[in-house]
Amino acid sequence: ETGVTQSPTHLIKTRGQQVTLRCSSQSGHNTVSWYQQALGQGPQFIFQYYREEENGRGNFPPRFSGLQFPNYSSELNVNALELDDSALYLCASSFTGLGSYEQYFGPGTRLTVT
Amino acid sequence: GDSVTQMEGPVTLSEEAFLTINCTYTATGYPSLFWYVQYPGEGLQLLLKATKADDKGSNKGFEATYRKETTSFHLEKGSVQVSDSAVYFCALSDQGYQKVTFGTGTKLQVIP
C-alpha cells in the first residue's frame, strides 16, 4: 500500500510569485485535505477536496486554491506569495464513507518565501 | 467553532518516567479525537484515536481515554523512552466533515 506522497520536498520562492504543490493520495482514498503548519504551531485547515470539488474551506484567502484530479491526486496553488506564507504544507488523504474518518498525512512541502 | 487546547511544552522527562500531556476540546456534536506525533523533520503520524465517549485509544504504550463529561483526551505513557522525543498534537474531527482541528502541539524531550 502506497502512502501519501508530496512534491517537492522544499521550495524557495520570492514574494509575489505563484507556487504549485502536489500530493498523491494513499491507495483507496478519495478525499484530500490541505493544511498549513507555521513554525511552532499546529496545522491549520486550508481546504478539502472530494470528487474533484472543494468540500469545505478554512480561514484562508482566495489566493489559496486547489484542484483534485480523477485519480484523487491534488494540487495546492498559492498566488501572490507573502512572507507569512512560509510554512510546512501538509496534505492528508482519507476515505469518505461510512465510519471512516482517519486522515493520513504526507511528509509535507517546506515553502520559504523571501 | 471547534477548538483544542493542550498543555504547553516543552516537557522534559528522564527515561522511564511517566508521561501525561493534557488535552481538552470544545466541539459541537460528537467528534472523533486523535493524538498525532511529529518527529523532527517529518510529517504527522496518527498515534491513536477514539471515536466515542469512554473509548480508550492505545498504541506503542501510549493511551488516551475519551472523556465526554470533562471534554478531555489526555495522553499517557507509563515509561517513556528517548525515542519518544517528538511533538505531540491533540486533534479532533467533526464526523460529518472530516476537517481536523489541531492543538498547538506539545514538545516532549526524553533524556537518558
Side-chain angles (χ1 to χ4, degrees):
Chain A
E1 185 176 87
T2 306
V4 179
T5 60
Q6 293 185 242
S7 62
T9 305
H10 295 88
L11 202 53
I12 300 174
K13 289 287 190 178
T14 302
R15 190 171 51 183
Q17 286 187 317
Q18 178 265 342
V19 68
T20 297
L21 311 181
R22 295 178 174 82
C23 171
S24 292
S25 59
Q26 183 167 309
S27 176
H29 287 178
N30 57 14
T31 302
V32 174
S33 303
W34 287 91
Y35 294 80
Q36 180 195 66
Q37 185 180 15
L39 197 63
Q41 300 297 314
Q44 298 292 315
F45 176 72
I46 302 175
F47 44 56
Q48 182 182 89
Y49 277 82
Y50 171 60
R51 291 184 175 177
E52 302 178 48
E53 302 223 348
E54 190 176 288
N55 184 41
R57 187 178 186 93
N59 189 26
F60 281 81
R63 59 189 186 84
F64 286 77
S65 63
L67 287 172
Q68 186 182 32
F69 301 99
N71 66 355
Y72 307 119
S73 66
S74 177
E75 287 182 356
L76 164 66
N77 298 288
V78 186
N79 294 321
L81 283 167
E82 301 177 359
L83 295 179
D84 284 348
D85 295 334
S86 296
L88 181 67
Y89 288 86
L90 296 166
C91 165
S93 75
S94 56
F95 177 75
T96 296
L98 289 177
S100 299
Y101 307 110
E102 295 174 31
Q103 295 195 0
Y104 292 85
F105 284 79
T109 294
R110 174 73 64 186
L111 173 64
T112 301
V113 182
T114 61
Chain B
D2 297 345
S3 67
V4 175
T5 302
Q6 59 183 106
M7 63 188 287
E8 291 190 16
V11 173
T12 302
L13 295 174
S14 298
E15 205 165 22
E16 300 184 2
F18 185 85
L19 168 72
T20 299
I21 301 178
N22 291 334
C23 171
T24 57
Y25 67 89
T26 301
T28 54
Y30 301 95
S32 292
L33 301 177
F34 308 90
W35 278 99
Y36 283 86
V37 59
Q38 189 172 39
Y39 296 100
E42 298 184 13
L44 293 169
Q45 297 178 25
L46 178 64
L47 180 60
L48 54 83
K49 68 173 183 177
T51 58
K52 62 183 187 297
D54 299 326
D55 265 4
K56 177 184 282 188
S58 61
N59 185 26
K60 299 181 181 180
F62 291 90
E63 293 182 340
T65 301
Y66 190 142
R67 300 287 187 200
K68 187 171 182 294
E69 63 277 12
T70 55
T71 62
S72 64
F73 193 56
H74 305 321
L75 182 68
E76 296 183 337
K77 186 176 185 184
S79 176
V80 294
Q81 305 301 312
V82 172
S83 58
D84 294 327
S85 298
V87 181
Y88 292 81
F89 292 93
C90 185
L92 67 83
S93 174
D94 177 344
Q95 294 190 356
Y97 191 62
Q98 293 203 55
K99 165 190 171 183
V100 180
T101 299
F102 288 87
T104 54
T106 301
K107 183 176 182 179
L108 170 65
Q109 182 178 15
V110 180
I111 54 178

